[in-house]
């Protein structure tokens, strides 16, 4: 079997108990050890505290798992050289019986395949700065266009070209909505400086939105953008400085492709002396909690 659903996740799905998917790339490539393991465990706990069942997704020895167990999460957090898997990489990891950490694109794909409708992460991938030359646009965007999963996130990572990413989401027909805001969040920052057309006021409204998508024949996902409160965000001046030096260093080293995002997140942590890690952790936990709220509301509607 190349796809396996964890026992508690499978049981929850059978009984209509709410389930929230969590990704493993942020564990293997987005955060350093040991914070990565702490955050992975805390995110699962946050989902449980809100009355849903967490399903951390990843590939272990060639099996795509929806609902990693504790030892498998530890493997994602500690093993050296775990490949970062987008959706297109999944068949190779399966054929080669490899481990793999799933990005937003791959996690959303596997979640939908298993029937999980909510997914929480920190920030989506998107259009990189200089993409007009590099063509570096995350597969996360195309995946959300064709995968019926709602992703709760704090916008797209601020290392990206945010307005270009919003344009791209629009072109792809991905619905994007703010949670209690009309400002698009900026990941480490509460406000990216760009606005949204729609906002949702409560979990129930989000659940009704999710329910309406298939009924309208729309096969896309949904981006629920959940900003950090302003007093919890990264200091904007510090953010600006760290961003500038991180991008300079990226260019100096000529880093490309899938290595860009992990490099920038890592460099950001060094430049901000760990402040960005504190904020990244908060973002992930808040999004896990909101995704669980919405999953609970969605189960109540069904
Ligand atoms: N959000 C975080 N940390 C991360 C990521 C998202 O807070 O590490 C990961 C996600 O897995 C996302 C990936 O899919 O970064 C984007 O990578 P790329 O730009 O190479 O598509
Ligand atoms: Mn890329």
């Amino acid at each position: 079997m190349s796809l396996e659903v964890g026992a508690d996740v499978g049981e929850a799905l059978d009984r209509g108990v709410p389930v929230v998917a969590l990704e493993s790339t942020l564990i293997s490539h987005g955060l350093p050890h040991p914070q990565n393991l702490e955050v992975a465990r805390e995110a699962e706990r946050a989902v449980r505290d809100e009355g849903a069942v967490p399903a951390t997704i990843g590939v272990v020895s060639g099996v795509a798992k929806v609902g990693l167990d504790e030892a498998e999460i530890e493997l994602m957090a500690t093993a050296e050289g775990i490949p970062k898997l987008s959706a297109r990489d999944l068949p190779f990891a399966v054929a080669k019986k490899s481990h793999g950490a799933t990005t937003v694109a791959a996690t959303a794909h596997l979640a939908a395949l298993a029937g999980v409708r909510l997914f929480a992460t920190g920030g989506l991938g998107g259009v990189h700065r200089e993409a007009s030359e590099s063509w570096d646009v995350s597969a996360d965007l195309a995946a959300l266009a064709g995968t019926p999963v709602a992703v709760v996130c704090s916008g797209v990572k601020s290392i990206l070209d945010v307005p270009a990413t919003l344009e791209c989401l629009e072109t792809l027909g991905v619905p994007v909505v703010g949670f209690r805001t009309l400002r698009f969040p900026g990941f480490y920052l509460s406000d990216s400086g760009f606005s949204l057309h729609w906002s949702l006021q409560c979990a129930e409204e989000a659940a009704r939105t999710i329910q309406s998508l298939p009924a309208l024949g729309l096969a896309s996902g949904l981006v629920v953008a959940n900003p950090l409160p302003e007093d919890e965000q990264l200091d904007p001046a510090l953010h600006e400085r760290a961003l500038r030096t991180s991008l300079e260093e990226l260019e100096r080293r000529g880093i490309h492709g899938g290595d860009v995002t992990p490099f920038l997140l890592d460099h950001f942590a060094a430049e901000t002396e760990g402040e960005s890690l504190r904020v990244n952790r908060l973002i992930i936990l808040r999004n896990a909690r909101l995704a669980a709220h919405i999953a609970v509301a969605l189960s109540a509607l069904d």
Side-chain angles (χ1 to χ4, degrees):
M1 276 296 281
S2 43
L3 178 77
E4 224 175 82
V5 178
D8 53 338
V9 175
E11 197 176 307
L13 289 169
D14 286 344
R15 292 203 196 155
V17 171
V19 176
V20 173
L22 300 165
E23 62 152 305
S24 45
T25 289
L26 69 83
I27 305 174
S28 302
H29 300 282
L31 297 162
H33 188 70
Q35 285 98 330
N36 59 351
L37 186 55
E38 289 161 17
V39 171
R41 287 178 174 153
E42 283 170 350
E44 287 220 334
R45 207 173 311 127
V47 168
R48 277 202 193 90
D49 285 348
E50 302 299 337
V53 172
T56 302
I57 294 180
V59 178
V60 178
S61 305
V63 179
K65 298 210 167 177
V66 177
L68 296 173
D69 64 26
E70 268 189 48
E72 291 165 338
I73 289 176
E74 197 167 329
L75 175 81
M76 292 292 151
T78 54
E80 286 289 322
I82 296 227
K84 172 178 164 184
L85 308 178
S86 190
R88 68 168 191 166
D89 302 307
L90 291 170
F92 305 119
V94 168
K96 291 178 177 292
K97 302 191 192 314
S98 162
H99 300 322
T102 50
T103 64
V104 168
T107 304
H109 176 77
L110 293 171
L113 195 59
V116 177
R117 292 178 293 173
L118 264 301
F119 167 21
T121 188
L124 300 177
V127 179
H128 281 269
R129 292 161 197 252
E130 320 292 342
S132 60
E133 282 187 11
S134 69
W135 291 71
D136 190 351
V137 177
S138 176
D140 291 357
L141 302 183
L144 289 175
T147 311
V149 167
V151 186
V152 179
C153 59
S154 298
V156 302
K157 285 177 288 276
S158 49
I159 53 179
L160 300 167
D161 184 333
V162 176
T165 303
L166 283 170
E167 290 294 344
C168 195
L169 285 165
E170 183 184 340
T171 303
L172 290 167
V174 179
V176 181
V177 68
F179 192 76
R180 297 191 178 134
T181 180
L182 279 169
R183 306 296 300 168
F184 190 58
F187 191 57
Y188 298 129
L189 303 176
S190 306
D191 184 347
S192 68
F194 298 89
S195 57
L196 293 165
H197 297 291
W198 297 94
S199 72
L200 297 168
Q201 293 317 309
C202 61
E204 217 247 322
E205 207 173 31
R208 286 205 303 276
T209 307
I210 293 167
Q211 212 182 31
S212 75
L213 285 163
L216 293 166
L218 293 168
S220 70
L222 170 72
V223 175
V224 179
N226 185 32
L228 264 184
E230 235 176 82
D231 57 353
E232 312 246 45
Q233 71 177 345
L234 195 62
D235 169 36
L238 178 59
H239 180 271
E240 187 60 41
R241 254 197 330 272
L243 184 59
R244 191 165 12 86
T245 60
S246 298
L247 291 170
E248 278 165 12
E249 192 60 21
L250 182 75
E251 205 189 323
R252 195 170 312 127
R253 297 203 199 181
I255 292 166
H256 294 291
D259 296 334
V260 171
T261 298
F263 172 80
L264 286 176
L265 292 175
D266 191 46
H267 207 263
F268 233 90
E271 287 294 308
T272 62
E273 292 171 354
E275 256 298 278
S276 70
L277 295 180
R278 176 191 69 79
V279 175
N280 205 343
R281 174 173 161 270
L282 254 180
I283 292 169
I284 292 165
L285 297 186
R286 283 171 47 87
N287 294 344
R289 229 170 269 125
L290 177 56
H293 265 160
I294 298 171
V296 168
L298 190 56
S299 289
L301 281 187
D302 288 340

